[in-house]
PDB file of all heavy atoms in Angstrom:
ATOM      1  N   ILE T 243      11.394  -5.450  -8.356  1.00 96.00           N
ATOM      2  CA  ILE T 243      11.875  -6.455  -9.309  1.00 96.00           C
ATOM      3  C   ILE T 243      12.952  -7.337  -8.681  1.00 96.00           C
ATOM      4  O   ILE T 243      12.863  -8.571  -8.703  1.00 96.00           O
ATOM      5  CB  ILE T 243      12.419  -5.778 -10.593  1.00 96.00           C
ATOM      6  CG1 ILE T 243      11.288  -5.097 -11.357  1.00 96.00           C
ATOM      7  CG2 ILE T 243      13.110  -6.803 -11.484  1.00 96.00           C
ATOM      8  CD1 ILE T 243      11.756  -4.231 -12.523  1.00 96.00           C
ATOM      9  N   THR T 244      13.970  -6.712  -8.125  1.00 96.00           N
ATOM     10  CA  THR T 244      15.074  -7.476  -7.541  1.00 96.00           C
ATOM     11  C   THR T 244      14.632  -8.178  -6.261  1.00 96.00           C
ATOM     12  O   THR T 244      14.946  -9.367  -6.050  1.00 96.00           O
ATOM     13  CB  THR T 244      16.272  -6.554  -7.246  1.00 96.00           C
ATOM     14  OG1 THR T 244      16.695  -5.950  -8.478  1.00 96.00           O
ATOM     15  CG2 THR T 244      17.423  -7.319  -6.637  1.00 96.00           C
ATOM     16  N   LYS T 245      13.929  -7.474  -5.413  1.00 93.00           N
ATOM     17  CA  LYS T 245      13.452  -8.033  -4.133  1.00 93.00           C
ATOM     18  C   LYS T 245      12.625  -9.295  -4.364  1.00 93.00           C
ATOM     19  O   LYS T 245      12.824 -10.325  -3.701  1.00 93.00           O
ATOM     20  CB  LYS T 245      12.639  -6.978  -3.399  1.00 93.00           C
ATOM     21  CG  LYS T 245      11.974  -7.422  -2.099  1.00 93.00           C
ATOM     22  CD  LYS T 245      11.265  -6.243  -1.463  1.00 93.00           C
ATOM     23  CE  LYS T 245      10.482  -6.645  -0.231  1.00 93.00           C
ATOM     24  NZ  LYS T 245       9.251  -7.393  -0.573  1.00 93.00           N
ATOM     25  N   ASP T 246      11.691  -9.234  -5.315  1.00 91.00           N
ATOM     26  CA  ASP T 246      10.832 -10.392  -5.575  1.00 91.00           C
ATOM     27  C   ASP T 246      11.612 -11.534  -6.222  1.00 91.00           C
ATOM     28  O   ASP T 246      11.367 -12.709  -5.918  1.00 91.00           O
ATOM     29  CB  ASP T 246       9.667  -9.986  -6.482  1.00 91.00           C
ATOM     30  CG  ASP T 246       8.635  -9.145  -5.748  1.00 91.00           C
ATOM     31  OD1 ASP T 246       8.620  -9.174  -4.506  1.00 91.00           O
ATOM     32  OD2 ASP T 246       7.843  -8.451  -6.418  1.00 91.00           O
ATOM     33  N   ARG T 247      12.569 -11.195  -7.104  1.00 91.00           N
ATOM     34  CA  ARG T 247      13.351 -12.251  -7.736  1.00 91.00           C
ATOM     35  C   ARG T 247      14.174 -13.011  -6.690  1.00 91.00           C
ATOM     36  O   ARG T 247      14.234 -14.239  -6.712  1.00 91.00           O
ATOM     37  CB  ARG T 247      14.262 -11.671  -8.818  1.00 91.00           C
ATOM     38  CG  ARG T 247      15.086 -12.745  -9.546  1.00 91.00           C
ATOM     39  CD  ARG T 247      15.918 -12.153 -10.667  1.00 91.00           C
ATOM     40  NE  ARG T 247      15.077 -11.666 -11.739  1.00 91.00           N
ATOM     41  CZ  ARG T 247      15.102 -10.443 -12.235  1.00 91.00           C
ATOM     42  NH1 ARG T 247      15.953  -9.554 -11.755  1.00 91.00           N
ATOM     43  NH2 ARG T 247      14.301 -10.095 -13.209  1.00 91.00           N
ATOM     44  N   VAL T 248      14.794 -12.275  -5.779  1.00 91.00           N
ATOM     45  CA  VAL T 248      15.601 -12.905  -4.724  1.00 91.00           C
ATOM     46  C   VAL T 248      14.726 -13.779  -3.824  1.00 91.00           C
ATOM     47  O   VAL T 248      15.124 -14.876  -3.422  1.00 91.00           O
ATOM     48  CB  VAL T 248      16.334 -11.830  -3.893  1.00 91.00           C
ATOM     49  CG1 VAL T 248      16.987 -12.454  -2.654  1.00 91.00           C
ATOM     50  CG2 VAL T 248      17.386 -11.128  -4.738  1.00 91.00           C
ATOM     51  N   ALA T 249      13.515 -13.292  -3.521  1.00 86.00           N
ATOM     52  CA  ALA T 249      12.608 -14.034  -2.644  1.00 86.00           C
ATOM     53  C   ALA T 249      11.879 -15.164  -3.362  1.00 86.00           C
ATOM     54  O   ALA T 249      11.257 -16.010  -2.714  1.00 86.00           O
ATOM     55  CB  ALA T 249      11.589 -13.076  -2.032  1.00 86.00           C
ATOM     56  N   GLY T 250      11.953 -15.175  -4.694  1.00 85.00           N
ATOM     57  CA  GLY T 250      11.247 -16.198  -5.461  1.00 85.00           C
ATOM     58  C   GLY T 250       9.761 -15.949  -5.568  1.00 85.00           C
ATOM     59  O   GLY T 250       8.971 -16.880  -5.720  1.00 85.00           O
ATOM     60  N   PHE T 251       9.356 -14.658  -5.485  1.00 85.00           N
ATOM     61  CA  PHE T 251       7.947 -14.304  -5.581  1.00 85.00           C
ATOM     62  C   PHE T 251       7.617 -13.813  -6.992  1.00 85.00           C
ATOM     63  O   PHE T 251       8.475 -13.266  -7.682  1.00 85.00           O
ATOM     64  CB  PHE T 251       7.594 -13.203  -4.582  1.00 85.00           C
ATOM     65  CG  PHE T 251       7.574 -13.678  -3.152  1.00 85.00           C
ATOM     66  CD1 PHE T 251       8.091 -12.874  -2.147  1.00 85.00           C
ATOM     67  CD2 PHE T 251       7.050 -14.912  -2.806  1.00 85.00           C
ATOM     68  CE1 PHE T 251       8.090 -13.288  -0.821  1.00 85.00           C
ATOM     69  CE2 PHE T 251       7.036 -15.340  -1.486  1.00 85.00           C
ATOM     70  CZ  PHE T 251       7.551 -14.528  -0.499  1.00 85.00           C
ATOM     71  N   PRO T 252       6.358 -13.963  -7.399  1.00 86.00           N
ATOM     72  CA  PRO T 252       5.938 -13.415  -8.697  1.00 86.00           C
ATOM     73  C   PRO T 252       6.038 -11.895  -8.694  1.00 86.00           C
ATOM     74  O   PRO T 252       6.049 -11.255  -7.643  1.00 86.00           O
ATOM     75  CB  PRO T 252       4.475 -13.873  -8.814  1.00 86.00           C
ATOM     76  CG  PRO T 252       4.302 -14.966  -7.812  1.00 86.00           C
ATOM     77  CD  PRO T 252       5.263 -14.671  -6.709  1.00 86.00           C
ATOM     78  N   ASN T 253       6.086 -11.313  -9.870  1.00 92.00           N
ATOM     79  CA  ASN T 253       6.172  -9.864 -10.024  1.00 92.00           C
ATOM     80  C   ASN T 253       5.501  -9.494 -11.336  1.00 92.00           C
ATOM     81  O   ASN T 253       5.545 -10.260 -12.303  1.00 92.00           O
ATOM     82  CB  ASN T 253       7.639  -9.410 -10.002  1.00 92.00           C
ATOM     83  CG  ASN T 253       7.809  -7.914 -10.102  1.00 92.00           C
ATOM     84  OD1 ASN T 253       7.671  -7.332 -11.169  1.00 92.00           O
ATOM     85  ND2 ASN T 253       8.119  -7.275  -8.980  1.00 92.00           N
ATOM     86  N   LEU T 254       4.900  -8.317 -11.371  1.00 95.00           N
ATOM     87  CA  LEU T 254       4.179  -7.871 -12.557  1.00 95.00           C
ATOM     88  C   LEU T 254       5.084  -7.779 -13.781  1.00 95.00           C
ATOM     89  O   LEU T 254       4.662  -8.070 -14.904  1.00 95.00           O
ATOM     90  CB  LEU T 254       3.547  -6.507 -12.268  1.00 95.00           C
ATOM     91  CG  LEU T 254       2.497  -5.960 -13.230  1.00 95.00           C
ATOM     92  CD1 LEU T 254       1.362  -6.956 -13.444  1.00 95.00           C
ATOM     93  CD2 LEU T 254       1.949  -4.639 -12.699  1.00 95.00           C
TER      94      LEU T 254
END
Side-chain angles (χ1 to χ4, degrees):
I243 293 171
T244 300
K245 175 177 175 286
D246 287 341
R247 182 177 292 125
V248 171
F251 288 140
N253 182 284
L254 193 54

